[in-house]
Amino acid sequence: MMKMQYKNKLFSLRWTAVMSASLALLGLSCTKSFPDTNTNKNTISTIGPSTLPFLFSHAEDLATVNAGNYQVAQNLFADQYAQYFACEATYFPSDRLVIRQDWVGANFNPYYSGVLPALQTVFSSTDSLSAEHALGEIIWVLAFHKATDYWGPIPYFSAGKITTSVPYDPQAAIYDDFFKRLTAVDAILKTHAGANAFGAYDLIYAGDVNKWIKFNNTLRLRLAMRISKVDPTRAKTEAEAAVAAGVMTTSASDDGFIIRSAVNGDNNGLSIMSDWNEFRMSATMASVLKGYQDPRTAQFFVPTAASKDPTPGKFANYSGLRNGLTVDQLGLGPNLAAANSHQGPRWSSTGVTVGGVVVGLANYTSTPQNVIETAEAYFLRAEGVMLGWNMGGQTAQQYYELGITNSLQQWGITDATAIANYISSTNVPVAPGDYLNSPPVSTVPIKWSSDPAVQMQQIMTQKWLGLYPDGLEAWADWRRNHTMKLYPVANSDNPLITNTATQWIRRIPFLDSEKQNNAAGVTTGVTALGGADNILTPLWWDKN
Amino acid sequence: MFFLACSFLAFAQERTITGKISEETNKSSIAGATITVKGGRKTVTADANGAFTISAPAGNVTLIISSIGFATKEVSVSADSRTVDILLGVDNKQLGEVVVTALGITRQSKTLVYATQSIATNQLNEVRSTDNFLGSLSGKVANVQINQGSGGLGSGAKIVLRGNKSIQGSNNALIVVDGVPTLNPTFSTAGNDFGSLQSSDGASDINPDDIESMTVLRGASAAALYGSQAGNGVLVISTKKGKKGRFEVTTNSGIGFERAWAMPDFQNTYGQGNGGVLADSSQQGASWGPKMTGQSYTDYLYNKNTLTQQKDNVKDFFRTGLTVNNSVGVSGGTDKMQTYFSYTNNYAKGIIRSNDLNRHTFDFRIANQLSSKLSSDVKINYSTVIINGRPRTGEENSQVFDAYEMPRSLKTADALKYQAPNTFDVMAPTNWPATNNSIYQNPYWMLNNTSISSVRTRINGFVSLKYQILPWLSARGSANLDKINDQYEEKYQQGTLLWNTNSGGSFMVTTPAWTQKWFDFIVEGNNQLARDLKLTYHVGAIRQDVLYDVKTAGSNGLFVANKFSLNYASNPSTTQDGSEIITNAGFAQANLSWKDAVFIDASYRRDWNSTLPSPYHYSYPSVGASVLISELVKELPLALSFLKVSANYAHVGNGGAFGITNAAYNYVQGAGNGGIARSTTLNIPGLKPEIVKSWELGLEAHFLQDRVGFTATWYKSNAINELLNLNLPVATGYATQYINAGNIENHGWEFVINASPVKTKDFSWDVAINLSLNRNKIIKLSPELKETDLGGGDNRSALPTIKEGGAYGDLYAFQWIKNTKGQYEVNANGTPYTTYSSGDPIGFIGNFNPKELVGMTNTFQYKRFNLRFLIDGKLGGILVSGTEMNLAFSGITKGTEKFREGGWNLGGVDVGGNAVSATTNAQAFWQTASGQRYGVGEFFAYSASNIRLRELSLGYDIPLGKITALKSLRFSAVARNLFWIYRGSSILSIPGIGKRKMWMDPDMSNGNGNFQGTEYGAMPSTRTLGFNLKASF
């Protein structure tokens, strides 16, 4: 009996050993397929010439604020601070100057995690003298100027390296780099004049290099004007060089719009904002548009639902509300959504009706989205002339009127008489008739004034209209120039701003996420900022 | 002479008696019983099926059958008998429960070195949880927490044993059916409080009527052989199979009715309006209007109407749900072949009027003794589930939330006028008084003009062969397949807010599919090493291959309005994603027993996992011991009849996630040719496996001849090397990177008490009590990462945040500011001054996990009557109600009723500490506390403690009299969620109002993922009443 058990024991040990060894072999031999198994068949592991253009498309998509980011990157902040729209929803505090830090990162993060890796790959995979490389440089500047104009110092020269902290760079150095890049781009693109780069993968000009040359120089002119107070000499040099190199001159052929597809959420961001129905025409817009009897009004906004009259252009039917109303105020009749104007038909679905008539458009989600347009180039040149720059030989008034003309044309108002009538109109902004009984926002007429101080206000007011609905640029422009009048925000919930008549929001404080993930970097940012990290510290180019 | 010779031979020869040992009530076979011929020295042991063969002298003999847990029995076998079937009765003195452990290994529970708990099957298929069978485990097992995802019938549930361990992975217990982990994926669930589709999980397909036994292995040690995910504990389910020599048909039919329960407390005094004013023709849905006194006004449809209380307008939205379950099982077999076949139909109509479920389950199992040494076991299980009208969950435009948002004066008859044809004769939404007209819509529009339906086809089964190499050595191998094919269809008619932006409506088809292939080979042996020393061992190999694929096709926009077919897509978009994980494993396990009193277990497993970098493998061990002191020490006090102590330690590994060692670029459909985006998460070439280390100590004692049993278990687990998504400075070009780091500790106690206070011939009373407490601590995340969250980045109500030094489940929210003296600060206008408006960060308000779980089942038997009720309690933990936050903003909830006319002084101070005399009113107060969709979560946080009468069943065994065709017939009346015995209150006591009683059921979660602790538009839970009839033929 004992013997038997002993044998069993031996047997079992042997079995165990054999089994273990064979299992080990089994394990080893069955791992050959593992690298393949662990590869997602639906993704791409390496980028080559055939996939490179897709990266450029992606960079363009993100650099122009796509639908997924639009609300939190732009709409809840810049669009409201430029007073294009006022917030109708009670649950967004940003119109009362409280920054939701977890939202505003949408005008920062996608540029780094999306635009940057895409363009870095474009840069490293293309000849530095190629048109493709140059187009990448333009998109780079387009993206990062949006970021730096919110915060000031941002991670820039060290961005794209894997490390636990990325330092911030001063805005002056960043702008310097912008100019260097754009200058180089002009020279390179001119060697490719008439060529096509990226073809259909370029969502703005379908690869037309000639148009990109004008776009590039207009962007350079825009940035030159941005630094006109802080560095007038450099500004003049860059601006004159940009104009000499050729900026946009003709709407609509020169206008830069990004074409959205409505596929897979690739929508015009503003159209999606419109569906969410959370904001309305601002009182500032109401005062200006209604006062000017502006023909663009019917494009910018639709009559109020309460008016029940869908006829476009009946100015009495448009209404706006002041920025910064309290929750209580927003619940009152004159401030309700139905009592104020929804944004224009091209951003409105067929569900938007006035008096039972559909005023929206079926293809509203694929409405082309503004990037940079011709009108802006002319207003920049008008302002440049006012500053004594050589902007191509015409007068400030001529550029001002060309700006208006091109803007009206851009919005489909092509009738020469109508344009001429508008330009010669002495109309001034009116009291918008809002809940707070606001006075007219300003006394600036359309017709070119003889008073240089008024002229500057005219240029800036028309430029503000011309930039609509690009609140990112309009807010930066207003902070930089501070000539055009906006209403004081009705109520500030931000303890730093106690008097909205004399104080305004000048920047976005560094992101909480950056303080958590890149604390050392933010410290360098505060140093570079040269002031407290709050909404009151002006940016480098803001000398108001 | 011939006869003489024969009889002589017969006398001289020993004869062979074969038999089968079964349990006397349910006829299940009893493994491992010892059989001795009385007066002789021959002893044999019955096999796993209870079969034995023993040689005995000729003539009448008596066999003595003993098995732990059963009363020893003497059976006389007459001289001419060769076979004998023996039934053993349970002996409460011994508690020799047999449990199925990892990999289908059957063991006596007294020999185990870790804690297990079994659930009687009648507690699973009598009082059912309509949404998911997991719901019926609540309160019956110590330290198990179930949360039901709010997706209506058939939606996924979360089952957590011994606390949450994983931040980014699953915390769900592994569910093992017949030895193989069953697929339990949840395709879509809420990861934030905005909302989502809550899909089914795999567990919802399990048919409780096919369950033979269910054991819960709470600790990692018990489950170490399962590797991946076993760190979260395991539910071991064995399904029914045919039995030798017995033909039986069982039927189980039930009908249940359910009503919405735990709905918000509504105020019924003030009607539609704002600031106390009733506005004519108003489209505003807030209920801040005047008192409802029947006054006339022009309503939102421009009709003349009267303002009256509509106490039932929300209740009217729901219906009485119906569930009908019919199951028939046929079982039978010979010595050579046993067959089980069953068909079950579950039909249910949910409380949401469009929601219904129809499930057909077929189960077929056949076991064959192919030769004397080779046996087979084959099973096929097939089910189809069709679910219509799945409600979305969350704050978004969903049916339930829209219904809650109705003005308190809105008449159901008016709400039903939700649509009218437009000029193209397409239905368009009519005017609606929404509290937010960009998101909330008429609930009847959502109910009737949107739909989410799903069709699931699932097949699983196995072929298993066993070869008895030697009497003490066998080998078995099995091949298993589990395959789930789902098809979800979402339809949103033109005019549906949020879900349809382009003309014509929106349509989406999603087809997730999962396939698991599992192969195992196990050699099993046992040897008597010495007189008192027995060794049992298993050595084996497993290959598991889990493949996932999901395709979506859809269009936001249809060329022909409301034509829900891909043919009409005006903006077609398609996507595909998938993953595959292969795990190869080798393992060895040994159990050593000495004198049937001391047991030592050890196991070792090595995994080769395809998700890891080369060389792909890692190993982990477990070891444990238990001692039956009552077997060793005979001098125990009389009252103490059984005493056991045990200890164990285990490592369990988990390979990580699919495809994260590689860099990846994703294609994004869009304008032009679409784009390609680099993954914003940096890949981790050096991925390491996650490890859960666990310790467990147990004590089990029985008193008074086992009338009272007591088990205490202490455990501690540390989850280390967790796969974490660490934020990188985004300027690196990546938003996050994977790291292996962290240490999350859970420790706690579990107590199980079983007692039979009364036991007489006609009347008995049994009571089972489970009590557990779990404490969690985030000991470490990583040097770089001190804080992360479990989802919900938009922070609408509260954010479940993981912080070093904190605990899993800590909730952070905006708060009412208190100064250092503890006084509440108020604004100059008398409203609360909160961190929402001060710009301060969100603060800690509590933890969503209960601290203690208690369950008590009482069973009374009086003659043929049986009464069982389960009291289930969860103590501690908080829940934030985003629903109430949002509704309070609009003056809908009961809490907003007081101080409408003002004069409300909160007794607060200003920032300087000076008393503020300004008074506020309800509207200003609640609109400060809530910004509507986003708000100050602290005001709406409740202590989620609750005790309820969870289940009640009253059964009667109908006397069969002369009906010989029937073996048994039992009728029962059953109920679930009868009433609260206790429920918590809001954590803040608001001056003038005090604390508000919790109205919602904290078991109902927006989703069944790791994002928990907030309820925002979750379905009300339900109260069920039903009847059940079980018969066996």
Side-chain angles (χ1 to χ4, degrees), chain B residues 340-375:
Chain B
Y340 173 77
F341 171 77
S342 81
Y343 165 72
T344 303
N345 175 247
N346 309 114
Y347 176 74
K349 287 162 70 173
I351 57 168
I352 298 283
R353 289 168 192 276
S354 56
N355 190 204
D356 58 57
L357 173 149
N358 200 351
R359 178 189 293 121
H360 302 274
T361 310
F362 300 87
D363 195 64
F364 180 72
R365 187 162 181 180
I366 184 163
N368 276 290
Q369 192 69 39
L370 299 170
S371 75
S372 63
K373 296 201 164 178
L374 185 66
S375 59

Side-chain angles (χ1 to χ4, degrees), chain B residues 466-614:
Chain B
K466 183 177 177 184
Y467 189 77
Q468 196 73 36
I469 304 166
L470 292 165
W472 50 270
L473 188 71
S474 64
R476 61 183 161 105
S478 75
N480 302 262
L481 177 74
D482 191 356
K483 197 169 175 61
I484 302 175
N485 280 299
D486 279 355
Q487 175 160 328
Y488 287 85
E489 288 195 355
E490 297 178 51
K491 301 171 184 170
Y492 303 96
Q493 281 195 14
Q494 173 173 304
T496 305
L497 293 175
L498 283 187
W499 310 120
N500 173 230
T501 48
N502 292 315
S503 181
S506 179
F507 181 52
M508 176 75 78
V509 182
T510 311
T511 52
W514 298 263
T515 307
Q516 175 181 265
K517 287 174 275 184
W518 167 289
F519 305 92
D520 60 35
F521 178 75
I522 300 168
V523 174
E524 182 176 354
N526 62 81
N527 299 99
Q528 192 84 30
L529 298 180
R531 187 179 164 75
D532 289 325
L533 201 58
K534 270 192 287 193
L535 177 70
T536 311
Y537 45 87
H538 298 82
V539 180
I542 296 168
R543 178 179 171 90
Q544 183 185 24
D545 182 346
V546 181
L547 189 67
Y548 168 58
D549 177 69
V550 58
K551 299 182 185 81
T552 65
S555 176
N556 186 342
L558 298 168
F559 283 120
V560 174
N562 304 333
K563 193 71 194 158
F564 296 105
S565 157
L566 295 173
N567 290 346
Y568 302 87
S570 61
N571 295 301
S573 98
T574 53
T575 64
Q576 184 173 6
D577 200 8
S579 64
E580 183 175 13
I581 297 179
I582 296 176
T583 310
N584 293 329
F587 65 87
Q589 185 211 36
N591 319 113
L592 198 63
S593 102
W594 181 67
K595 281 194 166 177
D596 272 347
V598 177
F599 304 92
I600 294 170
D601 273 24
S603 75
Y604 177 84
R605 175 169 157 141
R606 170 168 278 203
D607 280 10
W608 288 263
N609 200 309
S610 65
T611 58
L612 294 173
S614 178

Side-chain angles (χ1 to χ4, degrees), chain A residues 314-326:
Chain A
K314 275 196 178 176
F315 294 99
N317 291 339
Y318 295 86
S319 184
L321 67 162
R322 284 279 293 276
N323 288 85
L325 296 180
T326 63

Side-chain angles (χ1 to χ4, degrees), chain A residues 4-5 8-9 11-12 15-16 19 23-24 26-28 30-31 33-35 37-40 42-45 47 51 54-55 57-58 90-93 100 102-103 108-109 112-113 116-117 121 155 159-166 200-201 203 259-264 266 272 275-278 308 327-328 331-332 336-337 349-350 362 364-365 493 495 514 517-518, chain B residues 274 284 302 436-439 469-470 472-473 498 501-503 521 523 527-530 537 539-541 543 571-573 576-578 580 582 584-587 608-611 616 657-659 661-678 680 682 727-735 793-795 814 836-838 889 927 931-934:
Chain A
M4 180 69 186
Q5 278 167 4
N8 284 352
K9 196 171 152 193
F11 195 84
S12 70
W15 255 96
T16 312
M19 283 299 302
L23 285 174
L26 181 83
L28 289 175
C30 289
T31 57
S33 68
F34 279 9
T37 303
N38 200 35
T39 302
N40 190 337
N42 302 294
T43 64
I44 296 166
S45 313
I47 295 294
T51 42
F54 292 93
L55 293 179
S57 301
H58 182 60
T90 53
Y91 40 83
F92 294 134
R100 273 290 295 250
D102 46 345
W103 298 342
F108 185 90
N109 298 324
Y112 292 101
S113 63
L116 181 141
T121 310
K161 294 171 192 147
I162 294 173
T163 162
T164 52
S165 109
V166 186
Y201 295 91
L203 309 176
I259 311 302
R260 301 287 183 191
S261 65
V263 170
N264 191 35
D266 175 32
I272 301 303
D275 276 343
W276 296 344
N277 214 18
E278 285 161 336
K308 297 186 185 166
V327 172
D328 291 353
L332 302 174
L336 296 180
S349 76
T350 52
Y364 75 116
T365 55
D493 282 351
E514 279 288 286
N517 307 324
N518 188 19
Chain B
N274 200 7
Q284 284 287 300
Y302 307 110
N436 181 321
N437 60 9
S438 62
I439 298 182
I469 304 166
L470 292 165
W472 50 270
L473 188 71
L498 283 187
T501 48
N502 292 315
S503 181
F521 178 75
V523 174
N527 299 99
Q528 192 84 30
L529 298 180
Y537 45 87
V539 180
R543 178 179 171 90
N571 295 301
S573 98
Q576 184 173 6
D577 200 8
E580 183 175 13
I582 296 176
N584 293 329
F587 65 87
W608 288 263
N609 200 309
S610 65
T611 58
Y616 311 106
F658 168 75
T661 52
N662 311 317
Y665 291 83
N666 299 293
Y667 177 74
V668 188
Q669 290 182 349
N673 302 299
I676 288 179
R678 190 176 74 184
T680 59
L682 181 61
N727 289 329
L728 270 176
V730 70
T732 57
Y734 293 94
D794 273 345
N795 183 29
F814 289 114
Y836 189 83
S837 52
S838 72
F889 182 90
Q927 293 192 337
Q932 191 176 20
R933 303 180 59 214
Y934 303 83

Side-chain angles (χ1 to χ4, degrees), chain B residues 97-99 101 105-109 111-112 114 589 591 601:
Chain B
E97 196 185 11
V98 173
V99 294
T101 63
I105 298 164
T106 307
R107 296 176 64 183
Q108 289 181 328
S109 76
T111 71
L112 297 176
Y114 43 76
Q589 185 211 36
N591 319 113
D601 273 24

Side-chain angles (χ1 to χ4, degrees), chain A residues 410-427:
Chain A
Q410 177 200 320
W411 289 96
I413 298 132
T414 51
D415 178 59
T417 316
I419 296 173
N421 288 345
Y422 181 76
I423 289 173
S424 62
S425 164
T426 54
N427 286 347

